[in-house]
Amino acid sequence: YGAGGGYGAQQGYSEERSSARRVADHYSARSNQTLEERENSPIIHLKKLNNWIKSVLIQLYARPGDCVLDLACGKGGDLIKWDKAKVGYYVGVDIAEGSIKDCMTRYNGDTDQQRRKKFSFPARLICTDCYEARLDEYLYEDAPFDICSCQFALHYSWSTEARARQALANVSALLRPGGIFIGTMPDANVIIKRLRESEGLEFGNSVYWISFGEEYAEKKFPASRPFGIKYKFHLEDAVDCPEWVVPFHLFKLLAEEYDLELVLMKNFHEFVHEYLKKPEFTELMRRLGALGDGRQDQSTLSQDEWEVSYLYLAFVLRKRGQPPTQ
Ligand code: SAM
């Protein structure tokens, strides 16, 4: 990595577009599950654990009345979490048309699973590529935001340097000084370690597999080419599409170029161990049922699901500058 860019050859623009489209089509095609289908999912406890981690991040960093930007919001699975945090306004953006439609249905309380009171905050939903579009042009009337969230999606921006930069430029342009950026994404250190421990270019267990192409046969990743390191990711009942490695130390340096300073980075295992000690989050875990009785073990999460959670990390960044005085 070197300041100012220039990281070797970029992929062709159209190839890039089609990769983003593949990701979008994959998520667009995923239909809403019934409650029964969800409870029977082989990764139901992992999904609950992921929801617990996102809830903890939101409870730690969102404040009542906050203006929220949810990048790659998907089907709006976090709307209830934001409602519990009593936020004042919500903008969700996603590239997948199908997901934005489902998100709108969920916001309007129209689904069977969603027989609940309406959300207490107004919302706006936008369908676009968050890593290509200049979001400040769409959102100049809504900005600045107090908090931005990008859950399980920022790695889709690391296919090229231009996209990774556009992602961070969008966050930086739209957050107020002192605003917070929370997120979750794959932990490149763990993925590369697992790859090097495996015999071939594939590894996984009963619920996931990751596969690298022959171009990585030597399992070497030169620091001069940190973008576009593609692998295929399959997670039962969830994901089946190309993803990109995000070397975290370079992500941190790149974010600094956009005035975003690192506050926290924890692998999910460390995150669980640390925050499960806090009574309010133990109680939340008990209610969600991810770890059975809320003990710090895997009493209901299977060993294979627990291994998948080790592939992820949570991060928090803060936009430089002083928050405006109230
Ligand atoms: N954030 C949601 C959550 O936690 O439930 C959804 C996570 S899902 C694993 C990843 C999401 O990223 C999908 O909804 C997908 O459409 C979205 N996504 C991928 N690439 C994107 C892009 N370039 N711009 C906007 N959204 C994107």
Side-chain angles (χ1 to χ4, degrees):
Y1 178 84
Y7 300 102
Q10 295 284 319
Q11 278 173 286
Y13 182 66
S14 58
E15 185 188 335
E16 190 38 50
R17 266 256 160 108
S18 72
S19 283
R21 197 63 252 159
R22 250 199 85 191
V23 172
D25 290 346
H26 164 71
Y27 283 106
S28 240
R30 282 196 57 81
S31 56
N32 269 331
Q33 291 184 312
T34 62
L35 271 183
E36 197 186 345
E37 280 166 345
R38 189 179 138 80
E39 284 303 319
N40 288 330
S41 166
I43 57 158
I44 179 61
H45 295 108
L46 178 65
K47 288 181 179 175
K48 290 177 176 177
L49 183 71
N50 290 345
N51 275 322
W52 178 81
I53 288 171
K54 293 191 287 181
S55 297
V56 171
L57 281 173
I58 290 172
Q59 287 185 26
L60 286 172
Y61 291 98
R63 293 174 322 179
D66 268 1
C67 199
V68 179
L69 174 62
D70 192 356
L71 292 183
C73 61
K75 297 169 187 292
D78 294 342
L79 282 168
I80 294 177
K81 303 177 187 69
W82 293 112
D83 206 28
K84 289 198 174 129
K86 299 188 168 57
V87 299
Y89 183 53
Y90 173 94
V91 175
V93 189
D94 200 284
I95 193 172
E97 304 81 357
S99 301
I100 285 289
K101 274 193 197 140
D102 288 346
C103 187
M104 199 168 292
T105 307
R106 182 171 271 168
Y107 177 77
N108 289 326
D110 294 344
T111 64
D112 285 349
Q113 296 172 33
Q114 206 59 45
R115 286 197 204 96
R116 64 187 306 279
K117 73 171 179 56
K118 287 267 164 66
F119 292 96
S120 54
F121 50 82
R124 187 175 169 199
L125 299 175
I126 296 173
C127 187
T128 193
D129 185 336
C130 295
Y131 313 138
E132 189 184 311
R134 275 198 57 172
L135 290 184
D136 54 338
E137 289 176 358
Y138 287 81
L139 295 172
Y140 62 93
E141 285 180 334
D142 307 79
F145 291 85
D146 302 293
I147 184 162
C148 173
S149 169
C150 186
Q151 303 298 339
F152 299 102
L154 200 59
H155 49 301
Y156 296 117
S157 76
W158 271 62
S159 52
T160 67
E161 179 179 350
R163 288 171 69 77
R165 284 185 178 276
Q166 190 58 57
L168 291 167
N170 281 336
V171 175
S172 184
L174 292 166
L175 273 182
R176 64 163 168 77
I180 291 289
F181 179 29
I182 57 175
T184 45
M185 66 178 165
D187 186 333
N189 281 335
V190 175
I191 290 176
I192 301 300
K193 185 168 171 281
R194 287 272 180 274
L195 172 68
R196 291 188 173 141
E197 285 165 357
S198 71
E199 296 222 329
L201 290 165
E202 260 188 53
F203 55 95
N205 62 29
S206 68
V207 289
Y208 88 98
W209 53 259
I210 284 179
S211 167
F212 282 80
E214 282 302 324
E215 64 272 35
Y216 300 111
E218 290 189 15
K219 305 188 181 180
K220 285 189 182 147
F221 300 92
S224 55
R225 279 186 280 126
F227 302 95
I229 305 173
K230 184 157 85 176
Y231 57 88
K232 284 189 195 144
F233 181 55
H234 175 88
L235 178 62
E236 282 299 299
D237 193 35
V239 188
D240 193 27
C241 66
E243 300 201 344
W244 288 268
V245 170
V246 183
F248 195 84
H249 60 295
L250 299 179
F251 169 71
K252 174 179 175 284
L253 287 177
L254 199 65
E256 279 168 8
E257 286 187 34
Y258 293 90
D259 286 336
L260 297 164
E261 291 176 331
L262 186 66
V263 175
L264 172 150
M265 186 280 266
K266 284 183 197 302
N267 177 277
F268 273 15
H269 280 194
E270 193 190 349
F271 192 98
V272 171
H273 284 290
E274 178 155 346
Y275 290 104
L276 202 51
K277 288 183 205 140
K278 304 199 186 289
E280 67 273 33
F281 299 137
T282 317
E283 172 54 22
L284 179 64
M285 182 72 94
R286 197 192 55 73
R287 272 188 274 130
L288 286 175
L291 294 185
D293 57 7
R295 279 183 296 130
Q296 209 164 316
D297 63 18
Q298 305 132 49
S299 50
T300 52
L301 194 85
S302 69
Q303 185 61 35
D304 281 359
E305 287 174 284
W306 183 240
E307 261 181 41
V308 176
S309 75
Y310 189 47
L311 300 173
Y312 290 89
L313 59 78
F315 65 83
V316 179
L317 304 173
R318 181 180 285 117
K319 170 89 184 279
R320 267 189 210 118
Q322 290 301 316
T325 45
Q326 312 223 322

